[in-house]
Amino acid sequence: MKLGSRVQNGRDFRKRVATAASLAVVLALGLTACTDDPTTDSTAGAGSQECIAAADKFLEPWNELPTSLPASPPARYTPLTKPVPAGGSAIALTTPIPSAQESSNAFVEAAKAAGWSAKNLNFDGSVPDLLAKFDQAISAKPTAIWVQAFPAAAMQEQLDAAKAAGIVVGMASVVDQPESYPGFAAVSNGGVTIEEIGRLHANWFMRDSRCAGNVAIFTLPFPIVEKGDQVFTDTVKANCPKCKVSSSLIQPQDLGTPKTASTIVSKLQSDPTTKYAFTVIGNLANGVAPALKQAGINDIRIFGSSPDAESMAALRNGSNAWWVNQNSVMQGWASFDSILRAVTSEQIQPDPGNYPLSVLTSNNVSDGTEVPVIPTNYQSDFKALWGVD
């Protein structure tokens, strides 16, 4: 999806960028993960032993749930080299979507834990209102402003104005690279992370299927999603000669409607050899397991990233296989951490990978109804890195 440098380029541009906001924290794209016994439901038979051994080897570091933030390198989770500046302030621009609000609330919580003042500034999800609220945030002269999912091209004039005002801008869930300090200076959960997630899913799929499975990707038309899909596909094709990968595009406006589940069921009915459904975000999987059951299909392994409460319920009852947990709360804390590192180093902070992730299965997911935040002691870990109580 190519985006112009100015918002005035038309209604279609505004619609697609605004829709991207609804995926802000669910994309929500470092790896630290866990695995359980790689039992498979696949009936295709075992693939090459070389492929199986390579997948097993790749997943070795993730055989336990993480108990702390991933260390550097390549992640950035090391103690700050300078104290957190006193009297800092931050504004999180956010849409009314619940997951985005959750991330923004966590961002504000993280800023306050570091001794800064912080607040959310809500906009209605449209590009024009984003730009209006961005201008309002700049006029407040905070130390930092944070935005989720909207690409830099959609707000270049505001980024230039923030730079001129000496304000640091952080972003999350984008493929963009930071440009300058001050200005657009920090990215968390970005392009490097989504590449790592693509490789993680590919190896997990290969191990789970014993390198003999066929998988259908159900995806969305956004650059960061497309990048992860390509890495997944390339990794499988390079390592698993018996595996087959296909892809079906779901339109964003169909999320949350029966049409999504119907499309997925129809695809899987059309190819009985495909036993794996890669739903790139949790919203895509909602309603799929019961729809498959109603259609008499009971052997599909559903997996994906950024689970929501419904995904967790399906995981806990065994009707989903695994989920890479890109937690909304973690996005807020990790994004504020990236901004602090830009401010204290006076250097740009690209996405370094090793975003705090976990792989959840029915064997390791905690009880309850929530999506767990892992590691559980993330708040004390971050505050220790920042040198604050």
Side-chain angles (χ1 to χ4, degrees), residues 160-182:
D160 293 342
K163 179 179 179 180
I167 297 170
V168 171
V169 178
M171 295 188 189
S173 299
V174 294
V175 296
D176 299 281
Q177 293 295 319
E179 301 168 347
S180 66
Y181 178 88

Side-chain angles (χ1 to χ4, degrees), residues 20-360:
S22 69
L23 304 174
V25 297
V26 295
L27 288 177
L29 312 147
L31 289 180
T32 313
C34 80
T35 123
D36 53 4
D37 182 25
T39 303
T40 177
D41 291 341
S42 173
T43 59
S48 75
Q49 291 303 309
E50 182 181 3
C51 169
I52 296 169
D56 284 341
K57 182 69 174 177
F58 184 92
L59 295 170
E60 276 181 4
W62 310 329
N63 284 333
E64 300 291 338
L65 282 170
T67 57
S68 61
L69 297 173
S72 296
R76 58 165 63 100
Y77 303 110
T78 52
L80 296 180
T81 57
K82 294 180 181 179
V84 174
S89 61
I91 297 175
L93 299 175
T94 188
T95 72
I97 296 164
S99 57
Q101 289 283 328
E102 187 174 43
S103 280
S104 291
N105 289 339
F107 179 89
V108 169
E109 181 183 42
K112 290 181 177 179
W116 284 21
S117 62
K119 66 177 182 179
N120 291 324
L121 184 56
N122 296 316
F123 64 99
D124 65 11
S126 69
V127 173
D129 199 38
L130 165 64
L131 300 185
K133 295 303 192 296
F134 206 139
D135 289 338
Q136 182 180 333
I138 292 171
S139 68
K141 300 181 180 179
T143 309
I145 297 171
W146 183 53
V147 189
Q148 305 173 60
F150 281 82
M155 60 193 93
Q156 192 59 56
E157 291 183 10
Q158 283 67 29
L159 294 177
D160 293 342
K163 179 179 179 180
I167 297 170
V168 171
V169 178
M171 295 188 189
S173 299
V174 294
V175 296
D176 299 281
Q177 293 295 319
E179 301 168 347
S180 66
Y181 178 88
F184 173 27
V187 170
S188 179
N189 197 16
V192 174
T193 295
I194 197 62
E195 290 179 4
E196 292 174 334
I197 291 172
R199 286 189 289 271
L200 170 61
H201 274 309
N203 280 277
W204 200 289
F205 156 70
M206 289 187 290
R207 185 177 71 175
D208 193 83
S209 70
R210 308 311 291 164
C211 290
N214 295 340
V215 57
I217 305 174
F218 298 98
T219 190
L220 295 160
F222 299 99
I224 197 160
V225 179
E226 293 163 358
K227 187 170 189 176
D229 294 347
Q230 190 62 57
V231 172
F232 175 90
T233 301
D234 290 348
T235 302
V236 172
K237 288 183 176 180
N239 294 281
C240 186
K242 282 194 173 184
C243 298
K244 182 176 74 173
V245 181
S246 61
S247 182
S248 296
L249 186 66
I250 305 295
Q251 293 303 320
Q253 61 267 27
D254 293 334
L255 284 173
T257 72
K259 187 174 181 179
T260 296
S262 176
T263 299
I264 293 174
V265 170
S266 295
K267 167 65 177 178
L268 296 172
Q269 283 178 319
S270 71
D271 183 4
T273 68
T274 298
K275 303 299 183 183
Y276 288 81
F278 180 7
T279 52
V280 295
I281 64 171
N283 296 151
L284 280 173
N286 291 347
V288 172
L292 287 169
K293 185 176 181 179
Q294 186 175 8
I297 304 173
N298 299 305
D299 55 355
I300 302 299
R301 304 279 282 169
I302 300 170
F303 66 97
S305 302
S306 304
D308 57 14
E310 187 169 333
S311 309
M312 287 294 94
L315 190 66
R316 289 180 172 109
N317 69 26
S319 58
N320 284 184
W322 71 87
W323 286 93
V324 171
N325 181 19
Q326 294 166 273
N327 190 276
S328 300
V329 171
M330 183 60 71
Q331 171 146 290
W333 279 75
S335 293
F336 182 72
D337 177 83
S338 70
I339 286 174
L340 272 188
R341 294 179 187 280
V343 170
T344 55
S345 68
E346 298 186 357
Q347 296 180 352
I348 62 171
Q349 297 290 314
D351 173 27
N354 273 2
Y355 180 82
L357 302 172
S358 56
V359 177
L360 301 176

